[in-house]
Amino acid sequence: MKVVKFGGSSLADAGQIEKVKNIIDLDEERRVVVVSAPGKRHSNDEKVTDLLIALGTSIQMHQMDETVYKKIIDRFQSMTEELDLSFHVVEQVKDKIDEAIELVKNGFEHALDALKACGEDGSAHIVSAYLQKSGSDASYVNPKEAGILVRDQPGGALVLEESFEKLYSLRHRNEILVIPGFFGYTPEGELVTFSRGGSDITGSIVAAGLKADLYENFTDVDSVYCVNPMFVDRPKELTSLTYREMRELSYAGFSVFHDEALIPAFKEKIPVCIKNTNNPSAPGTMIVADLPERESHVVGIASDDGFLNLYVSKYLMNREIGFGRRLLQILEDEEVSFEHAPSGIDDMSVVIREHQLPPEKEEKVVSRIKEELEVDTVLIEREMAMIMIVGEGMNQTIGIASRAAVAFREAEVNIEMINQGSSEVSMMFGVKSASLGKAVQSLYRTFFE
């Protein structure tokens, strides 16, 4: 059995849904399908999830945006008409959206999650109806029916262990099952969404629960590249990666896969294949548990901007028991999560996503650090970018850091910070955001050309 997940670009319009149907028809093992909300049809288009969020925000401000509402309904209606589906299908989708709108208007706690989930739910209704129309035995399966139980954390749900046993019972069904991604239900029956891009998480959860032989994730690229194509023209394609490598690459800016999505598949040792809906015959990239045979220990260079560095210095910090814990406690109190925390004898840096620490929150955090920790210096440096060199076994390979340092020197980019810590899989470098492109290009020349 294969679990197949299709991303938003694969479901953007009727033509893409036709491709999805053909891919499912090609392999009778593709019995469970997880779908995202419709994505962009072209570069200037809008994702349906973005439209739903905009609609929800306008309702909360007591001024429902009818133009956005019409755009959403028109997207689903145009797909059903072009696929020659029954009018009943778009009415189902519209009814779900209208129900969620009423929840938002009435201030229901989980209302925004219910509205955001309408994109994936609509895709699932349309895909299952089109498969049925085309002669396949197919059914829409709501995540509640499937047994996807999650913690009550709106916008950031985490799956509960009992989900996997419930999902396994789906193996006994013989038809093609179409499940909307991105959301599950609490044990009390409340709809809660995963973090943005969470349909990947649903696919991985379903594959793990069903103990699938393979989890195929269809997107809009032939494979995973070793570096962002925005920085390097026609970069090397990767035929295989380990779970840990893909996790590091996804976290650090590889948008092809949600960074949390591999965890359920990893626990069950289910291989994952990333493939292209527009070129399904391409072999794609396999993600596996065991280290594949390869010549180089460096498999990818991931990068992302939008970080800041919170720098704290205090003489004899290393002698002060509990300093690091108290610093991080201040961040926890102010609901700020951190990414990395490299430290020295008398100083410590905490790398944070910029959106986590807006200026109004920054003032309070800095004030608390000064007062409660009595530090000598506290500085916040914004417009930072992080670059990750990723590969299994790098810590056992002599010269990786020195080669990277030479690449930065050749690019005339200053390394603001470096952190490997206990990781065997990645090495992190912090640079100014303005230097990101030339640093990545120089690293690519060093390790891949």
Side-chain angles (χ1 to χ4, degrees):
M1 173 189 282
K2 295 178 182 178
V3 171
V4 193
K5 183 261 174 181
F6 291 95
S9 60
S10 305
L11 300 154
D13 57 30
Q16 290 298 96
I17 291 175
E18 173 72 22
K19 293 177 185 177
V20 166
K21 181 196 79 71
N22 293 337
I23 288 168
I24 295 167
D25 289 345
L26 280 172
D27 190 342
E28 62 182 16
E29 289 296 305
R30 291 172 175 148
R31 286 174 43 206
V32 181
V33 180
V34 175
V35 296
S36 296
K40 292 184 177 183
R41 294 162 292 188
H42 47 78
S43 60
N44 296 322
D45 200 13
E46 295 168 287
K47 297 179 179 179
V48 165
T49 301
D50 288 336
L51 292 171
L52 289 165
I53 292 170
L55 179 63
T57 302
S58 72
I59 296 168
Q60 287 183 321
M61 296 174 68
H62 308 292
Q63 194 172 1
M64 178 170 155
D65 193 326
E66 295 289 347
T67 303
V68 174
Y69 174 76
K70 187 176 186 304
K71 282 183 181 179
I72 296 166
I73 301 303
D74 286 351
R75 281 289 295 273
F76 287 114
Q77 187 164 346
S78 66
M79 285 190 278
T80 56
E81 289 176 354
E82 289 176 47
L83 295 170
D84 196 25
L85 299 178
S86 164
F87 182 70
H88 173 68
V89 177
V90 76
E91 281 298 297
Q92 276 184 311
V93 177
K94 183 177 179 296
D95 287 346
K96 282 278 183 74
I97 294 170
D98 291 342
E99 287 172 15
I101 287 171
E102 287 305 309
L103 294 176
V104 178
K105 285 180 177 178
N106 293 323
F108 181 67
E109 183 182 0
H110 298 82
L112 274 182
D113 276 24
L115 185 58
K116 286 190 292 183
C118 289
E120 282 75 11
D121 201 66
S123 287
H125 278 293
I126 290 173
V127 170
S128 59
Y130 187 55
L131 289 171
Q132 292 166 8
K133 177 181 178 293
S134 304
S136 297
D137 185 10
S139 298
Y140 161 89
V141 180
N142 186 273
K144 182 185 285 187
E145 179 189 353
I148 300 176
L149 297 175
V150 298
R151 292 181 190 170
D152 193 355
Q153 295 176 215
L158 296 172
V159 68
L160 297 175
E161 282 300 314
E162 53 262 42
S163 300
F164 299 104
E165 186 176 344
K166 293 177 181 293
L167 281 162
Y168 189 77
S169 64
L170 294 179
R171 289 186 70 100
H172 304 303
R173 296 178 61 167
N174 295 319
E175 76 270 38
I176 297 169
L177 308 179
V178 183
I179 304 173
F182 188 40
F183 67 98
Y185 287 82
T186 68
E188 294 74 35
E190 303 291 352
L191 186 156
V192 183
T193 61
F194 296 109
S195 55
R196 189 70 190 269
S199 292
D200 286 342
I201 300 175
T202 302
S204 186
I205 290 168
V206 172
L210 289 166
K211 299 191 186 301
D213 300 306
L214 180 66
Y215 170 34
E216 294 180 309
N217 191 296
F218 279 85
T219 179
D220 54 4
V221 293
D222 282 352
S223 64
V224 177
Y225 297 108
C226 66
V227 71
N228 190 332
M230 287 179 60
F231 296 122
V232 176
D233 186 36
R234 288 181 292 182
K236 180 182 175 184
E237 295 182 2
L238 299 175
T239 57
S240 61
L241 291 164
T242 66
Y243 293 120
R244 293 201 302 170
E245 288 170 338
M246 190 67 225
R247 161 86 168 128
E248 294 278 356
L249 290 169
S250 298
Y251 158 75
F254 270 45
S255 59
V256 72
F257 215 94
H258 192 291
D259 64 298
E260 297 175 22
L262 285 172
I263 297 170
F266 168 74
K267 288 181 177 177
E268 292 295 328
K269 298 293 188 286
I270 294 166
V272 179
C273 188
I274 296 173
K275 294 177 72 70
N276 189 351
T277 302
N278 302 311
N279 186 20
S281 61
T285 299
M286 287 295 299
I287 305 170
V288 295
D290 298 321
L291 181 66
E293 289 290 331
R294 58 164 73 111
E295 294 180 11
S296 172
H297 286 291
V298 175
V299 298
I301 302 165
S303 56
D304 203 4
D305 56 11
F307 293 92
L308 64 83
N309 176 30
L310 169 62
Y311 173 79
V312 177
S313 175
K314 185 177 184 180
Y315 184 58
L316 295 179
M317 180 192 293
N318 64 314
R319 304 280 289 274
E320 190 172 329
I321 296 173
F323 182 91
R325 174 187 58 76
R326 288 186 289 135
L327 173 59
L328 297 179
Q329 184 65 56
I330 291 171
L331 296 179
E332 181 181 344
D333 291 345
E334 303 302 328
E335 298 183 334
V336 176
S337 65
F338 75 98
E339 308 294 323
H340 306 276
S343 63
I345 297 172
D346 294 326
D347 50 25
M348 183 173 180
S349 289
V350 184
V351 179
I352 301 168
R353 295 273 181 181
E354 283 198 286
H355 68 82
Q356 286 278 332
L357 199 65
E360 61 273 14
K361 190 175 284 189
E362 173 187 324
E363 186 176 344
K364 186 174 182 181
V365 167
V366 170
S367 176
R368 285 192 61 186
I369 291 171
K370 287 178 178 177
E371 291 174 11
E372 298 173 29
L373 303 182
E374 299 177 341
V375 298
D376 300 324
T377 306
V378 55
L379 298 171
I380 290 185
E381 190 177 13
R382 292 184 177 269
E383 296 183 6
M384 296 287 294
M386 297 297 137
I387 301 172
M388 292 274 226
I389 298 174
V390 177
E392 292 272 7
M394 286 201 318
N395 67 328
Q396 300 167 4
T397 307
I398 296 170
I400 298 289
S402 65
R403 292 175 68 194
V406 170
F408 282 106
R409 186 188 68 198
E410 291 176 348
E412 298 182 342
V413 173
N414 186 50
I415 301 172
E416 304 290 333
M417 67 178 70
I418 180 170
N419 186 35
Q420 182 170 20
S422 59
S423 175
E424 299 178 11
V425 185
S426 66
M427 187 178 297
M428 182 274 287
F429 300 90
V431 301
K432 288 290 191 181
S433 295
S435 304
L436 180 60
K438 58 183 181 179
V440 170
Q441 290 161 4
S442 185
L443 287 166
Y444 180 81
R445 288 192 295 270
T446 297
F447 288 105
F448 293 100
E449 289 187 346

